[in-house]
Amino acid sequence: MSSSNGSTNLYDAAVAAAESKAVKTELEEARKAQAVAKAFLTKTCPAFIESLDGKSPSTTDRLRKAGRNIMANLKYAKSSDSKMENVTGALSLLVEECSTMANVISKKETRKVPKVRYGKTELQMPIVTLGCMRFQQSWNRDGAATVDKIDQVEKECQDNLVNILKYAVDMGVTHIETAKGYGSSELQLGYAIEKLFQEKYCNREDLIIQTKGAVAADMSIKDFKETVEAQLARLKLKYVDLFSVHGLNSEEGKIRHIGFSTHGRADLIRRAIETDAFAYLNLHHHCIGSYTASGDSGKHDLHGNYDNVELARSKDMGVFIISPYDKGGRLYAPSVKFRELTLPEFEPMEYGSLWLWQYHLHQKEHSAAAKNGPMAHTIVCGAARPSDLDQPILASFKMIPQEDGKDNAELLAKTVRVSDRLMQRMVDVLGQKWVDTWHVGLPNWFHAKYGTQHGNLVWLYNLIQAYGLLDFAKDRYSPLEPRGPKWDSDKSKDDNVAQYGPGWHWMPGCGVANHRDYSVDLGDCPAENREKLLEAVAFVHKWCQPEKKDEKSEEEPPAKKAKVERPYEWETSYDMRPWTAFPERS
């Protein structure tokens, strides 16, 4: 391990904790992580240990997360190319986090998540939103048991949901976002919010409640109204503050502000913004790219929705960022390489948050509108447990304005330093010319002969090569992969899309089928890029296809096909999910 500063007390404490008798007697990973954290923090942050309630599930969660962080640092320290400054930096960040959490848990912390003006809605929006898609009992689809009555909900599940809500409200996370499509979320949320009101924990006016619903082309105004009324009934509310759709007209009184939520193509999003019909939008825009819009040809290639975010802000729309920690790079379970690149300044989740909140400040090219305020007003955290909100909340404290502005300037300098490091890594691995031109002329599914999501696939290739984000890429490729062989180029796009079901609209496009010639889609790409583009798409298919062999497929799973173990830097550094969320259990 290369080192300029040598070992530190924190590193020695981590080693001692891992070698302690209490840790060595634990065989199960989760319990071992808890034991490591307790031994380390007893010496380095005793206030945190003292603040913990031994009966609370959050105690187990927080120790488990801290322990996984510590063990990841020790494993990294043993690797040949590790940097001691990253190890000690990560341990220092952990102790700092736990010190603040000691105040949060003991109710001594007076800071709350800061709020900003949410565009033309004039709402004061907390910069962290509570997403309600991971704490419900069931998704009510894909074979899961249907939950449409509160007595079908397990007490543990509902109690957990109430605890998440109370923690969120305590810390100023007063924007609550759910959807009709989130299974039993609206139902359970309605009872939980009612409980908070009855206990006088908060008032209706203290909360900004948002839900979402689809609008079908053949839906009448009457049908739409009945759908909204049913959602309000489940939520036990007279009105919602925000309602997100793909386009609608609605009756006044039930919905305060209309917006839209999208996973769509960059050009479609732009056209929706240009209608001037919406007060806000929910979209993907992250430090590594824009999810389904990445690769869409535009001025800013990697960040497919860059121009859309700017356009929305120029129209004074509220900007809500979807899934910064999951679709934004699986930051709760980052690769070794990506974490190495964000340290010693930040852990990946903190960096991903700050990149968005400071977005209008660290772009080298931005519009006049961007200079007047944040371009990403709020980012959502889908919490399965109260402790899932810890990292976003603590990161938000750093955005509280300082009187002299000094801390904010230093914070921005750190964010820019990490951003520059990430971009330089991309250039070092892939070459400046490729970084500048890979997306030029490259189609995503709508303009590809076989519905292939070329832009997204090459984007994933870049992320694996530069940042080791293989597990993230596998998650993203998973819904695309089985569609590839089924696309029939003799049928219309609509007929082809129809066979894939509603999931298409959340992650559009097809993966690769080996027998097809994809060079037919590359006619508008620079000639010097075409061979590498084909190699990139094949690489993603090879490494990211499911490991279980399909009996109807002629392809071998990647473990057999590649016959090469993944590099250590592609491995997951740690996983900050302390348990399996309720809807993921069925």
Side-chain angles (χ1 to χ4, degrees):
M1 174 171 60
S2 61
S3 171
S4 57
N5 301 320
S7 297
T8 68
N9 291 335
L10 287 178
Y11 177 68
D12 292 340
V15 171
E19 294 178 350
S20 65
K21 184 178 180 180
V23 172
K24 288 188 175 182
T25 57
E26 293 290 354
L27 300 179
E28 197 264 321
E29 181 274 334
R31 293 179 63 85
K32 185 181 288 290
Q34 292 166 221
V36 168
K38 192 169 184 179
F40 174 77
L41 292 168
T42 295
K43 291 189 174 182
T44 61
C45 190
F48 176 74
I49 298 297
E50 292 166 6
S51 72
L52 297 176
D53 176 0
K55 298 180 181 179
S56 171
S58 291
T59 292
T60 299
D61 294 347
R62 287 166 176 146
L63 287 173
R64 190 169 295 175
K65 290 164 67 175
R68 287 173 176 172
N69 182 312
I70 296 163
M71 292 193 296
N73 291 326
L74 295 177
K75 183 176 180 179
Y76 172 77
K78 295 178 181 178
S79 64
S80 59
D81 297 324
S82 63
K83 302 172 183 176
M84 177 59 86
E85 64 177 326
N86 282 5
V87 176
T88 56
L91 292 171
S92 179
L93 289 173
L94 177 62
V95 171
E96 177 187 344
E97 175 184 302
C98 290
S99 178
T100 303
M101 281 305 304
N103 290 331
V104 169
I105 296 167
S106 61
K107 307 292 186 179
K108 296 177 182 178
E109 179 58 65
T110 59
R111 292 173 294 179
K112 294 184 183 295
V113 172
K115 296 181 178 181
V116 296
R117 175 181 172 273
Y118 196 47
K120 65 182 75 173
T121 72
E122 299 294 346
L123 294 169
Q124 284 298 303
M125 178 67 72
I127 65 175
V128 176
T129 288
L130 172 61
C132 303
M133 73 294 290
R134 294 187 63 233
F135 56 35
Q136 73 275 27
Q137 179 80 44
S138 174
W139 280 104
N140 287 353
R141 63 172 188 253
D142 299 330
T146 298
V147 174
D148 53 16
K149 296 179 181 179
I150 195 62
D151 58 10
Q152 296 172 304
V153 177
E154 296 175 19
K155 184 179 185 300
E156 181 189 7
C157 178
Q158 191 66 9
D159 288 348
N160 176 63
L161 192 159
V162 170
N163 289 335
I164 291 172
L165 273 181
K166 287 184 174 181
Y167 180 43
V169 170
D170 285 344
M171 301 313 300
V173 182
T174 52
H175 178 210
I176 301 168
E177 184 244 6
T178 185
K180 178 185 176 184
Y182 291 170
S184 59
S185 178
E186 287 182 332
L187 170 74
Q188 293 180 242
L189 194 59
Y191 280 91
I193 292 173
E194 182 181 58
K195 179 179 175 66
L196 265 60
F197 293 165
Q198 290 173 345
E199 295 178 355
K200 300 189 183 305
Y201 207 89
C202 62
N203 299 314
R204 173 65 183 91
E205 298 74 24
D206 298 328
L207 305 178
I208 300 172
I209 299 178
Q210 173 180 350
T211 193
K212 304 191 289 290
V215 178
D218 59 351
M219 181 179 282
S220 68
I221 293 176
K222 180 177 179 292
D223 291 339
F224 173 71
K225 181 179 178 181
E226 289 176 352
T227 298
V228 174
E229 293 283 5
Q231 290 182 259
L232 289 172
R234 285 192 292 273
L235 288 166
K236 294 178 173 290
L237 297 173
K238 294 180 180 179
Y239 69 92
V240 289
D241 302 277
L242 302 168
F243 192 96
S244 299
V245 293
H246 291 104
L248 71 125
N249 295 311
S250 69
E251 185 178 20
E252 279 188 37
K254 304 295 184 182
I255 299 168
R256 294 180 64 192
H257 304 285
I258 299 296
F260 70 95
S261 181
T262 178
H263 297 240
R265 307 194 315 269
D267 63 309
L268 289 180
I269 297 171
R270 182 177 186 86
R271 294 207 299 272
I273 295 170
E274 288 174 339
T275 66
D276 293 324
F278 303 102
Y280 69 93
L281 79 164
N282 298 12
L283 83 170
H284 291 276
H285 183 65
H286 311 126
C287 62
I288 61 164
S290 295
Y291 189 37
T292 56
S294 290
D296 285 351
S297 292
K299 181 180 178 183
H300 301 90
D301 50 294
L302 182 63
H303 304 294
N305 277 327
Y306 181 109
D307 295 330
N308 286 329
V309 174
E310 282 207 331
L311 179 62
R313 276 297 288 116
S314 73
K315 292 178 176 292
D316 198 26
M317 293 176 69
V319 177
F320 172 116
I321 300 300
I322 305 171
S323 195
Y325 307 118
D326 184 41
K327 309 305 188 295
R330 213 166 176 260
L331 302 184
Y332 54 79
S335 69
V336 171
K337 174 52 70 175
F338 191 80
R339 184 174 182 236
E340 180 184 72
L341 292 166
T342 66
L343 288 170
E345 290 87 355
F346 308 114
E347 289 286 356
M349 283 184 68
E350 185 175 35
Y351 168 70
S353 304
L354 294 170
W355 185 90
L356 286 162
W357 292 326
Q358 298 179 309
Y359 179 80
H360 60 298
L361 300 174
H362 61 71
Q363 296 302 305
K364 294 179 181 178
E365 299 176 24
H366 48 70
S367 65
K371 297 177 183 178
N372 297 327
M375 292 181 72
H377 296 106
T378 189
I379 66 178
V380 67
C381 174
R385 296 277 262 189
S387 66
D388 288 343
L389 289 168
D390 290 351
Q391 282 69 38
I393 287 171
L394 297 190
S396 80
F397 288 170
K398 296 186 177 182
M399 293 301 296
I400 296 174
Q402 304 297 314
E403 290 184 5
D404 58 7
K406 182 178 179 181
D407 290 343
N408 299 80
E410 292 176 356
L411 184 68
L412 177 61
K414 289 182 178 180
T415 306
V416 170
R417 187 156 64 243
V418 174
S419 297
D420 289 346
R421 189 184 303 142
L422 286 164
M423 180 52 66
Q424 189 58 53
R425 167 69 180 179
M426 187 77 73
V427 171
D428 290 345
V429 172
L430 299 170
Q432 186 69 60
K433 191 170 184 179
W434 175 261
V435 171
D436 291 341
T437 66
W438 67 270
H439 71 292
V440 174
L442 187 64
N444 265 329
W445 79 269
F446 193 75
H447 299 289
K449 181 177 180 179
Y450 304 110
T452 313
Q453 191 77 343
H454 288 291
N456 243 205
L457 298 184
V458 180
W459 170 62
L460 294 176
Y461 165 83
N462 293 342
L463 295 180
I464 296 170
Q465 294 287 358
Y467 306 146
L469 295 179
L470 176 61
D471 288 329
F472 169 74
K474 291 175 77 171
D475 284 352
R476 304 284 60 83
Y477 189 62
S478 176
L480 275 61
E481 188 271 337
R483 298 173 184 162
K486 299 177 183 178
W487 185 276
D488 187 345
S489 57
D490 293 328
K491 293 182 179 180
S492 69
K493 286 185 175 66
D494 289 343
D495 287 343
N496 271 295
V497 170
Q499 70 177 309
Y500 300 120
W504 177 277
H505 303 290
W506 304 111
M507 186 62 188
C510 293
V512 172
N514 283 350
H515 62 281
R516 288 180 170 159
D517 177 12
Y518 293 101
S519 63
V520 297
D521 293 330
L522 308 183
D524 293 332
C525 301
E528 61 271 22
N529 283 357
R530 294 173 192 169
E531 182 177 354
K532 187 171 181 178
L533 289 169
L534 292 173
E535 292 174 355
V537 169
F539 174 92
V540 171
H541 181 63
K542 169 182 170 181
W543 280 95
C544 298
Q545 62 179 294
E547 294 185 7
K548 184 177 179 180
K549 184 177 179 180
D550 185 341
E551 293 180 0
K552 297 180 180 180
S553 172
E554 298 177 355
E555 299 177 23
E556 291 290 337
K560 294 182 179 180
K561 197 171 184 180
K563 295 184 179 180
V564 177
E565 292 186 6
R566 67 164 76 181
Y568 169 64
E569 62 185 17
W570 294 7
E571 295 286 345
T572 295
S573 180
Y574 53 57
D575 192 331
M576 290 291 102
R577 295 170 296 181
W579 78 330
T580 302
F582 279 103
E584 296 168 10
R585 297 179 183 184
S586 56

